Amino acid sequence: MPRAVRFDAYGGIDVLKVVEVERPVPAPGRVLVRVRAAGINPGEASIRGGRLAKRFPATFPSGEGSDLAGVVEELGEGVDGFGVGDEVLGFTNDRASHAELVAAEADKLVPKPRSVTWEAAGSLFVAGTTAVAAVRAVGVRAGDTVVISAAAGGVGTLAVQLARNAGATVIGLASPEHHGWLTDHGAVPVRYGDGVAERIREAADGRVDAFIDAFGAQYVELALELGVAPERVDTIANFAAKERYGVKTEGTAVAASAEVLAELAAMIRDGRLQVPIARVYPLDQVQAAYRELEKRHTLGKIVLRP
Ligand SMILES: NC(=O)c1ccc[n+]([C@@H]2O[C@H](COP(=O)([O-])OP(=O)(O)OC[C@H]3O[C@@H](n4cnc5c(N)ncnc54)[C@H](OP(=O)(O)O)[C@@H]3O)[C@@H](O)[C@H]2O)c1
């Protein structure tokens, strides 16, 4: 029987287990995918901990995960455009990708370019579509100066590259150990913490046009203090800020499509986008993977390999 991550109640990392489950059957319009890599994301930890129980309740036993890449094993009725053996990447909204097999909707999958690694393909969905949404939300244009908080994280590393590709100067907030990655990717690294506003002003030569907050905390207030117009601030982690300050809170929901995924995959194939992989864990070590993620100092993505 195939194995999958399950949890039976809201709780800490220790509620996560890997168990044998029924082999999923692809319903009409679905594709059975043998998962080769599946990214993990902070939102899954929040759901598991019950912190999003009102907005995104869980039913138990719950599966987990939306990012995935793998090989098509079986086609449900009415699926065309994919064949058995095809390499695909994409997502499922069923909390089911942290598993050996997943029956995903065909319209949430795209072909995986051969040159894109399993790890990059399998961790592209949440971080990639969120980065696209955030960069679009603040309207990044050539010549802009854009500040990105949590610039070394899963979303941040991709947003940095997308904003650079659009011709912006990017100031990335990160710990000193991640400044090398930011410099190598054309961004100006700035340390967060006390005095950050002054350091940003200095790095920006006084003018900040847009701010992408990929962390939460007080970064929206910082953006406004730096003089950024509310409509050019997007936060993916502080939803109350929309009502309070009129800033944007656009994230994965507005860019979660096969079309956006195909564009991102093509950028990786063409060498215009890189998904830094912090670490790969076997599915069995799902608890260790979240322990690392929840320290919140990842450079890029953490990936499970079933
Ligand atoms: N709304 C949406 O659609 C959506 C979608 C995806 C994610 N999110 C949310 O967005 C956030 C980021 O997600 P992610 O996947 O990028 O997370 P992640 O990969 O876990 O981000 C970790 C990053 O946070 C940085 N960090 C830690 N403390 C910081 C601080 N005080 N100030 C600035 N940066 C700090 C770390 O940088 P250093 O290691 O350099 O310190 C690290 O690189 C999470 O809260 C997640 O839930 C929302």
Side-chain angles (χ1 to χ4, degrees):
M1 287 167 85
R3 292 169 328 127
V5 173
R6 288 283 182 274
F7 57 100
D8 293 323
Y10 292 126
I13 289 171
D14 53 347
V15 302
L16 292 173
K17 54 191 181 175
V18 178
V19 299
E20 291 191 335
V21 295
E22 291 293 323
R23 183 182 168 86
V25 177
R30 290 188 178 239
V31 173
L32 188 68
V33 178
R34 184 159 291 276
V35 178
R36 297 291 300 273
I40 69 170
N41 292 284
E44 291 141 11
S46 300
I47 288 171
R48 186 203 67 232
R51 294 186 288 282
L52 296 176
K54 282 207 178 117
R55 271 176 78 198
F56 304 118
T59 52
F60 302 110
S62 177
E64 181 179 78
S66 51
D67 298 357
L68 69 99
V71 179
V72 173
E73 184 138 320
E74 210 179 303
L75 300 175
E77 220 180 281
V79 173
D80 46 24
F82 292 106
V84 171
D86 284 358
E87 296 184 351
V88 294
L89 65 88
F91 65 106
T92 169
N93 286 333
D94 300 340
R95 299 183 188 168
S97 73
H98 298 166
E100 289 176 338
L101 285 173
V102 55
E105 288 169 79
D107 65 0
K108 296 181 172 48
L109 300 173
V110 298
K112 180 185 87 64
R114 279 273 162 190
S115 61
V116 177
T117 65
W118 285 116
E119 287 81 5
S123 59
L124 191 57
F125 167 63
V126 171
T129 57
T130 306
V132 167
V135 168
R136 284 183 186 167
V138 301
V140 175
R141 294 183 290 262
D144 278 347
T145 296
V146 183
V147 178
I148 301 179
S149 63
V155 176
T157 49
L158 300 181
V160 163
Q161 297 171 80
L162 296 175
R164 284 291 298 141
N165 291 349
T169 296
V170 175
I171 295 174
L173 305 185
S175 308
E177 66 259 43
H178 294 149
H179 286 191
W181 186 92
L182 288 166
T183 307
D184 288 348
H185 289 79
V188 180
V190 165
R191 184 169 51 84
Y192 55 80
D194 281 351
V196 67
E198 248 345 282
R199 289 193 289 281
I200 292 172
R201 280 193 195 99
E202 204 175 305
D205 223 359
R207 197 196 82 219
V208 178
D209 302 295
F211 198 114
I212 293 172
D213 168 32
F215 188 75
Q218 300 303 307
Y219 285 112
V220 169
E221 285 83 355
L222 173 65
L224 300 174
E225 182 192 331
L226 290 166
V228 183
E231 65 273 18
R232 298 206 71 192
V233 177
D234 189 63
T235 175
I236 60 167
N238 176 2
F239 301 105
K242 182 176 182 166
E243 203 173 324
R244 186 173 300 168
Y245 302 115
V247 299
K248 295 182 176 171
T249 53
E250 289 177 16
T252 186
V254 303
S257 69
E259 196 187 354
V260 170
L261 272 173
E263 279 170 25
L264 288 164
M267 284 186 218
I268 300 174
R269 181 199 60 206
D270 298 344
R272 289 180 290 131
L273 186 70
Q274 187 210 355
V275 182
I277 303 298
R279 189 143 171 201
V280 182
Y281 288 88
L283 188 67
D284 277 339
Q285 289 180 27
V286 62
Q287 290 193 1
Y290 278 96
R291 242 175 255 121
E292 182 173 343
L293 181 88
E294 290 178 41
K295 288 181 189 157
R296 305 214 64 183
H297 287 293
T298 310
L299 173 65
K301 294 299 303 173
I302 296 172
V303 188
L304 297 173
R305 287 287 308 247

